[in-house]
Amino acid sequence: MRRCLMVVFLFVWCAMAFAAAPPREVLVLGDSLSAAHNIPVEAGWVRLLNARTSKMATPWTLVNASISGETSLSGRNRLPSLLKRNKPGVVVIELGANDGLQGLPLGQLADNLDSMIDAAKKSGAKVLLLGIELPVNYGPQYRDGLRRVYADAAKKHGVPLVPFLLDGVALDPALMQDDGLHPTAKGEPRVAENVWKMLSPLLM
């Protein structure tokens, strides 16, 4: 009888421990910069980091929900269902590049980022925000304004920020595709390192 009770106790304890365990999934919500545009999927920074996180003592899985052409508004609209389905422990938001390329109002981007960060945090997930830069022909006023949007969102919500996803890559022609916007497969490891510096503390 005592042995049976012990077995039942262990079963219940294991079930409770499993239920209380934090989610081990990182949801990446981005655009073509995260969707391995025009390069093999396995060469993209998301897959490169997944190879690293899957070998951690307690593994994490990166789920890439990025879509080429995604704007902050379309990402905002998709996020609730993604949170419900995946229940991630961390959400990485990489959106705004297409808003900028289309010259959309920066206030709209700020509002969409606020909404996405709020939704992710309310679901119980930690958030990492990835910022982008626009080509110089967009002018200093818009480019500086875009930087402030990311910085202000990170400060307002208390979330870590990678100020420029393509830092160390964007100005090196050898690491960029002919369109001047997307990294080559050779440039993706540096992008992965830029993200890893801020993502790794969230996985501990």
Side-chain angles (χ1 to χ4, degrees):
M1 180 67 176
R2 181 179 296 177
R3 185 175 182 180
C4 290
L5 288 174
M6 183 63 71
V7 170
V8 171
F9 172 79
L10 288 173
F11 177 81
V12 172
W13 183 87
C14 290
M16 291 177 64
F18 179 80
R24 310 297 298 187
E25 185 171 290
V26 178
L27 176 68
V28 180
L29 183 64
D31 49 40
S32 57
L33 293 175
S34 299
H37 174 76
N38 207 31
I39 61 174
V41 172
E42 60 271 16
W45 70 262
V46 177
R47 281 290 188 90
L48 294 177
L49 286 189
N50 187 66
R52 181 180 294 189
T53 61
S54 65
K55 296 176 182 177
M56 295 175 67
T58 306
W60 286 77
T61 300
L62 271 69
V63 176
N64 197 353
S66 303
I67 298 177
S68 293
E70 184 96 291
T71 64
S72 63
L73 179 59
S74 54
R76 174 181 180 174
N77 291 336
R78 286 202 302 127
L79 183 56
S81 62
L82 290 170
L83 292 173
K84 184 177 181 180
R85 180 169 69 248
N86 294 283
K87 297 179 175 58
V90 178
V91 176
V92 178
I93 300 174
E94 181 276 301
L95 289 170
N98 290 307
D99 296 59
L101 292 174
Q102 295 175 31
L104 299 177
L106 292 176
Q108 176 179 302
L109 171 59
D111 183 60
N112 291 333
L113 290 177
D114 280 344
S115 177
M116 287 186 282
I117 296 172
D118 272 337
K121 293 183 74 173
K122 287 178 180 177
S123 77
K126 300 175 183 178
V127 177
L128 172 61
L129 185 60
L130 307 183
I132 58 93
E133 297 259 350
L134 291 177
V136 295
N137 59 300
Y138 278 77
Q141 183 174 358
Y142 194 91
R143 296 177 78 239
D144 290 345
L146 185 62
R147 293 189 193 102
R148 284 195 298 272
V149 166
Y150 290 110
D152 290 348
K155 182 178 180 180
K156 176 180 178 180
H157 297 278
V159 301
L161 168 69
V162 175
F164 182 28
L165 178 64
L166 303 186
D167 185 41
V169 178
L171 298 182
D172 187 343
L175 301 180
M176 295 294 289
Q177 298 182 36
D178 291 340
D179 61 10
L181 299 174
H182 300 91
T184 61
K186 187 178 179 181
E188 291 287 338
R190 175 58 188 268
V191 180
E193 286 301 321
N194 291 342
V195 177
W196 180 248
K197 291 175 183 178
M198 302 305 291
L199 176 63
S200 55
L202 301 181
L203 307 182
M204 302 304 175

